[in-house]
Amino acid sequence: VNIVNYLKDENNPLDCEDIGGFIDGLVPWMQSSNFKVSQNGLDIVGFFIDRLASEFKPYLNTILISVLDRLGDTRQEVRDKANIVLCKLMDATVQPQALFEKITSAFSHKNSRVRVEVLLLLQNTLNAHGAGQLTVSKLIPHILTSTSDPQSAVRDAAVETLVEIYRHVGEKVRMDLQRKQNLPANKLANLMAKFDDVKNGGNMMPTATLAMGTMEGPEGDDDTDRGVMKSAKSRSSSVP
């Protein structure tokens, strides 16, 4: 607790001869079955990210597995702390797409809470950073797999995530699902109806392409991502 209080004060210097060794020592804290110890470990990692920003990158692989595991904690407050760490990483240390490429295992994690939380994190990332910061075509297959998850909470979160992607990207997502993903007819119809509800309700984001495209993207260029990049370039730059 004294370390947490010390790091909370930005005026206190980050004097540490072996930061790597110190962060290694935080891993057992985050993994602790005592939720207070686990929370403190996550808090301290978060403060280090705040202080080091991009310089925290060498320690990313050290903490990621433990942080992901805590997304599945039985206590919501611990899950929230783990989420905060991941959000801080995307704010200061690593681009959102790069982080999601490192944590794709979370979509198939043995703990269903982790599977739910990574989908919610993706939704929050879309709203915080914009679809232009993500290569959504690389993530959609993982999300589609989650629509068939044994746990209803995961299935529901997956559908909500696809709807959120559609809200940001637009009709390119609809086209991708219809033409490339080989979804069962009932699931596809359900998604299309939800997309229509969002569109007809006027809830689309400014980045979304509302007109259906008719041309294939150039070789090696995904239609969905092309739509996102074009929309991202056309809006005012508000994403760091």
Side-chain angles (χ1 to χ4, degrees):
V1 176
N2 288 337
I3 299 173
V4 173
N5 290 335
Y6 180 87
L7 292 172
K8 273 184 181 177
D9 188 345
E10 295 181 357
N11 294 318
N12 289 330
L14 192 61
D15 291 333
C16 184
E17 292 183 359
D18 184 6
I19 292 177
F22 185 85
I23 292 173
D24 286 344
L26 290 174
V27 171
W29 286 38
M30 291 187 288
Q31 294 174 338
S32 174
S33 58
N34 183 319
F35 78 96
K36 291 183 178 179
V37 175
S38 182
Q39 284 186 88
N40 284 336
L42 290 164
D43 277 337
I44 294 168
V45 168
F47 287 129
F48 267 83
I49 295 168
D50 290 339
R51 297 289 191 94
L52 295 176
S54 63
E55 293 179 7
F56 189 85
K57 194 174 291 186
Y59 315 113
L60 196 58
N61 291 336
T62 301
I63 64 148
L64 266 184
I65 292 176
S66 298
V67 175
L68 288 180
D69 284 345
R70 293 279 63 79
L71 285 178
D73 199 275
T74 55
R75 289 180 176 268
Q76 183 65 52
E77 55 263 52
V78 177
R79 299 199 295 273
D80 290 344
K81 296 284 188 182
N83 261 298
I84 289 169
V85 169
L86 293 169
C87 289
K88 285 185 174 186
L89 286 170
M90 289 187 282
D91 286 340
T93 306
V94 64
Q95 291 294 319
Q97 179 62 29
L99 181 71
F100 272 95
E101 288 179 7
K102 282 182 172 291
I103 65 172
T104 51
S105 62
F107 289 101
S108 56
H109 197 280
K110 62 182 179 181
N111 187 327
S112 64
R113 291 192 189 92
V114 176
R115 302 198 298 272
V116 170
E117 290 291 338
V118 73
L119 289 162
L120 298 180
L121 177 68
L122 179 51
Q123 293 178 38
N124 292 336
T125 302
L126 283 166
N127 288 307
H129 295 272
Q133 296 295 307
L134 293 165
T135 308
V136 292
S137 64
K138 291 184 177 181
L139 300 173
I140 283 177
H142 298 290
I143 304 166
L144 290 177
T145 299
S146 298
T147 64
S148 300
D149 195 274
Q151 298 294 323
S152 61
V154 180
R155 297 195 300 271
D156 291 346
V159 170
E160 291 167 5
T161 303
L162 288 169
V163 172
E164 193 64 23
I165 290 173
Y166 171 76
R167 196 169 75 87
H168 282 263
V169 177
E171 293 301 325
K172 297 290 186 180
V173 178
R174 190 192 299 264
M175 291 172 60
D176 184 64
L177 295 179
Q178 289 173 334
R179 296 189 307 176
K180 301 178 183 178
Q181 300 298 340
N182 198 28
L183 272 174
N186 61 330
K187 286 186 179 180
L188 183 61
N190 179 51
L191 276 169
M192 296 303 105
K194 289 182 179 295
F195 289 177
D196 288 339
D197 288 344
V198 171
K199 186 175 182 179
N200 296 335
N203 294 318
M204 303 296 284
M205 296 294 288
T207 51
T209 302
L210 299 182
M212 287 288 259
T214 56
M215 296 179 64
E216 291 283 352
E219 186 177 353
D221 190 87
D222 184 88
D223 271 357
T224 304
D225 297 324
R226 196 157 54 95
V228 173
M229 289 185 286
K230 183 177 178 181
S231 299
K233 288 176 183 175
S234 66
R235 66 189 171 119
S236 59
S237 178
S238 60
V239 179

